Amino acid sequence: MQAQDQSELWNKPAVAQLVQVVTAIVDEQTMRRFLRDLLTEKEIKEMSARLMAAKMLKEGATYLEIVERTRLSSRTVARISSWLQNGCKGYDAAIEILSTNK
């Protein structure tokens, strides 16, 4: 897996624009409105479930527990586990935000 600063994905103007907008939105209501316009309801639920799965993995939950609670496939949970171990640490950063904003 390539680190975020080495991937050509981040050099694409449309992707850079998306990152700029997402990082500039500071209030939850604006973010909710943006995500709802940008994504389908199914995509929002999928992304939310993936974040929940990452958090559960960090807390020591089993794949079976995660699959039952999130309704994600075991293959998706395995990929999330791999990203937690070998990825760009984005899930770790997101989980840290959740823990500090309780």
Side-chain angles (χ1 to χ4, degrees):
M1 182 175 297
Q2 291 183 330
Q4 67 179 12
D5 58 354
Q6 296 174 345
S7 172
E8 290 186 28
L9 170 69
W10 304 111
N11 296 327
K12 297 188 181 306
V15 175
Q17 180 176 277
L18 176 63
V19 170
Q20 180 183 10
V21 167
V22 170
T23 58
I25 296 174
V26 296
D27 65 282
E28 286 186 28
Q29 190 58 36
T30 301
M31 182 58 77
R32 285 186 188 121
R33 292 192 328 257
F34 175 66
L35 290 175
R36 189 58 190 102
D37 286 349
L38 180 67
L39 304 167
T40 66
E41 190 172 317
K42 182 178 178 181
E43 290 167 330
I44 292 169
K45 289 177 180 178
E46 175 77 15
M47 291 171 60
S48 300
R50 288 177 181 218
L51 179 56
M52 181 185 292
K55 188 172 183 282
M56 290 177 73
L57 283 166
K58 294 289 273 186
E59 293 169 349
T62 66
Y63 280 27
L64 181 58
E65 291 170 325
I66 296 166
V67 168
E68 287 177 356
R69 184 157 177 209
T70 64
R71 300 292 184 222
L72 293 170
S73 71
S74 58
R75 182 178 177 158
T76 298
V77 175
R79 279 196 307 261
I80 293 166
S81 178
S82 177
W83 293 330
L84 280 168
Q85 295 170 23
N86 306 308
C88 297
K89 303 300 178 195
Y91 276 123
D92 289 328
I95 293 165
E96 179 65 25
I97 289 168
L98 290 175
S99 69
T100 58
N101 289 335
K102 285 186 176 179

